Amino acid sequence: MQAKMSRSGRLVSVQPTRGSGRFPIRALLGFAFLAPFAAIVPGNAASATALAGDWSGEGTVTDVQGPTEKVRCRVSYRQESAKVYGVEALCASTSKKMSQTGQLLEVRPGVYTGEFNLTQYDVTGRVRVVIDGDGETQTVTFTSSRGDGEFTLTRR
């Protein structure tokens, strides 16, 4: 068998070779070249679903007209399509309880951006979620015209 590679590194044809029936070294080298790329694909596919599920944790929120407050949150993400996730969050500080919704888009493996809506306080803004390498911790940062904040969440 003989494998031919194009200039871009793609396998373009496979033809049987004549002779002893042994596997030619060129074909083996071609497979060795392609193997690292094949190993990358499952990792990316797995990260696409790493966000879905329930998370909880705490962080801080800074209101533009007030002090910084500690806030605890429970967040649920549900996968709506290959790269889009719906978000529902319940958060509480010593002075407020908040229920928010939103939608995130996976912009690269383990990184999601989108918008949130906090209807009871008429606040909308941008949110960014980054999942740490272990897949069990995430950092959430958000900003709006009324303030900003950051949370660290762990999988529940």
Side-chain angles (χ1 to χ4, degrees):
M1 182 179 287
Q2 182 177 6
K4 291 187 180 181
M5 307 257 313
S6 71
R7 288 184 184 174
S8 66
R10 290 191 169 156
L11 188 63
V12 292
S13 68
V14 177
Q15 301 171 352
T17 59
R18 295 184 190 154
S20 65
R22 295 188 319 184
F23 204 67
I25 191 72
R26 281 184 275 163
L28 184 59
L29 291 173
F31 289 122
F33 174 75
L34 294 173
F37 297 107
I40 291 171
V41 174
N44 289 344
S47 71
T49 59
L51 184 63
D54 296 325
W55 300 73
S56 64
E58 61 184 34
T60 57
V61 174
T62 303
D63 189 317
V64 293
Q65 297 178 346
T68 297
E69 290 188 80
K70 280 193 165 192
V71 178
R72 294 193 53 75
C73 292
R74 289 185 179 207
V75 181
S76 293
Y77 301 99
R78 69 189 175 290
Q79 193 166 5
E80 295 179 346
S81 70
K83 291 188 175 265
V84 176
Y85 290 81
V87 182
E88 291 182 12
L90 297 172
C91 298
S93 69
T94 56
S95 64
K96 297 177 185 155
K97 288 187 179 180
M98 300 157 274
S99 175
Q100 51 209 3
T101 59
Q103 200 168 48
L104 297 172
L105 173 67
E106 182 180 31
V107 293
R108 63 180 182 268
V111 179
Y112 307 82
T113 62
E115 296 183 0
F116 71 90
N117 186 10
L118 190 59
T119 55
Q120 77 243 49
Y121 296 103
D122 193 30
V123 175
T124 60
R126 301 283 303 156
V127 62
R128 183 173 192 256
V129 176
V130 177
I131 297 182
D132 293 344
D134 66 0
E136 297 298 315
T137 306
Q138 64 178 254
T139 302
V140 179
T141 54
F142 65 91
T143 187
S144 74
S145 61
R146 303 259 312 264
D148 57 20
E150 183 172 321
F151 297 89
T152 300
L153 305 175
T154 55
R155 192 176 294 280
R156 292 182 27 198

